[in-house]
């Protein structure tokens, strides 16, 4: 049975979607947020079919997971560990199968079960192309991470390694690899999983909060590496008006990652990784890299016009990955 | 000069959009909401080109105004008089002219200047069809209006008259009118304006709050008439599990509205009107209709399986207007 959205009609579609929502918004158009005296963080992301997702690469459940987790990552890398609510705007062509929509929401719920939050409202409409608009809300905590909070003398910390998602995309779309290399089945598996099921760094944020030395303030800079490792550091340098010096040998790779240097491009500019990239006072950075196994100090911040160097003073190539040119 | 989005590229586009945003979100992906110890109301609406707007009917400034005001209306009809923030998700084909985008945001800002709020964040992406996703946030006040709050014995109040927007749409798209009728230039003007520049009932909400008799509680049911007058009452009956009895002679019309009965269809089911439709304790309803010139008691609520009758016990036709079947 392939029931389409057109078969259902708008009223029945909205009725079916209600089971995925918290009980607040059954009869009304708006939803309530009980703020419990906390300030909130809010983030809106758009995902457009063929640009951000496609049924050839991912099934609807994976797409649902991904659109929630990428939003969550933006909240986490701003310091929010308590994700509370989502609204979901959904544009669907009339011939979309109901099963696709059901799987999409199930993937979203799986992500919320893992990281927190519930759907409190939304809207849907027909349209020529599938489009998902997610607004995510979380409580504001300390540290309030900003790209613009870095200071000279900080250490730069990455909470995990990069490049897997880019490799996963290449494997899923049969793209040419940087070089002919024998990839282990485990690496292939991890890469595809990283691309289909991104996993935001909530545990890393919790470790960051738990390990702050008492003697220093909550000032910390941070972002996620969703646009690539180098791009995330470029963002910190730009917003903080400083320079980063990176140690290439300190940048972690998956144990099975090909040794050939040409593969570094995906490590540095692959994108769609969801690690925290932090600029922290030295003591805090050391504390975090001790506490969190996957975290590594990969460089430091110094004064100067925004730029990124390797520790041999070579300038990095920081051309933005073509992946993220949407226009 | 017709600079397109493709000419600008994503980074320059985002830079240009920043001037429309409050200063919070320049360097980061998320925005903050300072809740000042208040609970919040949130609403997400999608507007898709050719379904909710089209450049043939409205210019970009009008579209910007409309997408903000329709969202605001949802907050107002839930009881929020203090609109605080918006996020804007924008999907644009690469050949979209920058001027269109600029005008869209200027229309949005005009609406915010009139009704409150500021853009605190958003996202944009390319796509085949233009799409605007707005999330609006307002403070929660008393009365917290719900569709489900009506009780037998309540009076039903409309804060203004209906049908103008539907007539405006017909005039703008050269649709056939219900009958041949001589329309006054003033009516034509009001109708087109109602369609292009909907005006949410913020003053009516303020009057409702100001005129509540002290002796009664804040319990009140409400919605806006964006899906049509009858549909809004149907929503209240459904959610409150009760019946409405309406007095056709009490339903206000624009002074120049054609007398012919056949025009009632647009009055009752035209849609895209933004009046408050309230179900209130009698005393409060009388107080409001005294205080607010445009407000009128149009019927009452009684026990029974959800349904709507005229006061001559004739059942109304409550087939949902085909306008709102999006699939």
């Amino acid at each position: 049975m392939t029931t389409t959205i057109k078969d259902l009609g708008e009223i029945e579609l909205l009725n079916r979607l209600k089971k995925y929502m918290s009980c607040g918004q059954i009869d009304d158009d708006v939803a309530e947020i009980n703020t419990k005296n906390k300030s909130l963080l809010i983030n809106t992301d758009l995902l457009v079919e063929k640009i951000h997702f496609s049924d050839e690469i991912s099934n609807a459940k994976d797409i649902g997971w991904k659109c929630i987790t990428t939003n969550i990552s933006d909240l986490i890398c701003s310091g929010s560990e308590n994700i509370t609510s989502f609204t979901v705007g959904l544009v669907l062509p009339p011939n979309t199968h109901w099963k696709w929509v059901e799987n999409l929401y199930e993937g979203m719920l799986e992500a919320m079960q893992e990281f927190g939050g519930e759907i409190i409202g939304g809207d849907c409409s027909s349209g020529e192309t599938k489009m998902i608009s997610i607004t995510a809300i979380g409580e504001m905590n300390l540290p309030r991470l900003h790209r613009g909070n870095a200071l000279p003398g900080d250490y730069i910390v990455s909470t995990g390694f990069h490049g897997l998602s880019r490799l996963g995309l290449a494997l899923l779309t049969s793209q040419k690899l940087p070089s002919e290399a024998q990839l282990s089945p485990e690496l292939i598996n991890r890469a595809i999983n990283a691309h289909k099921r991104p996993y935001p760094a909530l545990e890393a944020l919790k470790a960051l909060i738990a390990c702050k030395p008492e003697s220093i303030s909550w000032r910390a800079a941070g972002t996620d590496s969703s646009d690539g490792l180098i791009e995330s550091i470029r963002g910190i340098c730009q917003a903080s008006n400083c320079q980063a010096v990176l140690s290439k040998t300190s940048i972690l790779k998956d144990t099975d990652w090909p040794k050939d240097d040409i593969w570094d491009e995906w490590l540095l500019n692959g994108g769609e990784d969801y690690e925290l990239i932090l600029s922290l006072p030295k003591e805090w950075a050391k504390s975090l890299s001790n506490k969190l196994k996957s975290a590594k100090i990969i460089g430091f911040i110094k004064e100067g016009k925004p730029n990124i160097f390797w520790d041999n003073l070579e300038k990095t190539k920081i051309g933005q990955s073509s992946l993220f040119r949407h226009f």
Side-chain angles (χ1 to χ4, degrees), chain A residues 143-154:
Chain A
R144 174 69 179 90
L145 300 170
H146 288 284
R147 286 194 178 94
N149 278 358
L151 285 178
D154 279 358

Side-chain angles (χ1 to χ4, degrees), chain A residues 68-93:
Chain A
I68 290 295
T69 50
T70 53
N71 249 290
I72 285 178
S73 183
D74 278 328
L75 293 178
I76 288 175
C77 76
S78 302
S80 177
E81 54 171 343
N82 193 6
I83 313 300
T84 60
S85 1
F86 297 88
T87 69
V88 178
L90 203 54
V91 177
L92 299 170

Side-chain angles (χ1 to χ4, degrees), chain A residues 54 102 119 130 133 157 162 168 194 202 238 274 280 285 298 312:
Chain A
S54 106
E102 200 171 36
I119 301 176
K130 286 190 194 117
S133 168
V157 178
H162 291 82
L202 183 56
Q238 202 82 45
Y274 293 91
L280 301 171
I298 60 169
N312 58 6

Side-chain angles (χ1 to χ4, degrees), chain A residues 152 237-238 240-244 301-309:
Chain A
C237 291
Q238 202 82 45
S240 300
N241 194 29
C242 61
Q243 302 189 334
I301 295 290
K302 69 185 192 73
E303 271 183 49
K305 205 166 142 269
N307 215 333
I308 304 174
F309 303 90

Side-chain angles (χ1 to χ4, degrees), chain A residues 180-191:
Chain A
E180 277 184 46
Q182 189 67 36
L183 305 178
S184 75
E186 294 79 12
L187 176 63
I188 290 175
N189 201 27
R190 285 196 291 273

Side-chain angles (χ1 to χ4, degrees), chain A residues 39-82:
Chain A
S39 282
L40 301 175
L41 295 179
I42 187 165
N43 180 57
T44 294
D45 268 351
L46 296 170
L47 290 98
V48 180
E49 187 173 24
K50 286 181 210 156
I51 291 174
H52 303 94
F53 64 88
S54 106
D55 287 332
E56 285 94 66
I57 298 180
S58 301
N59 63 41
K61 221 178 235 186
D62 290 339
I63 294 166
W65 171 280
K66 197 163 175 170
C67 64
I68 290 295
T69 50
T70 53
N71 249 290
I72 285 178
S73 183
D74 278 328
L75 293 178
I76 288 175
C77 76
S78 302
S80 177
E81 54 171 343
N82 193 6

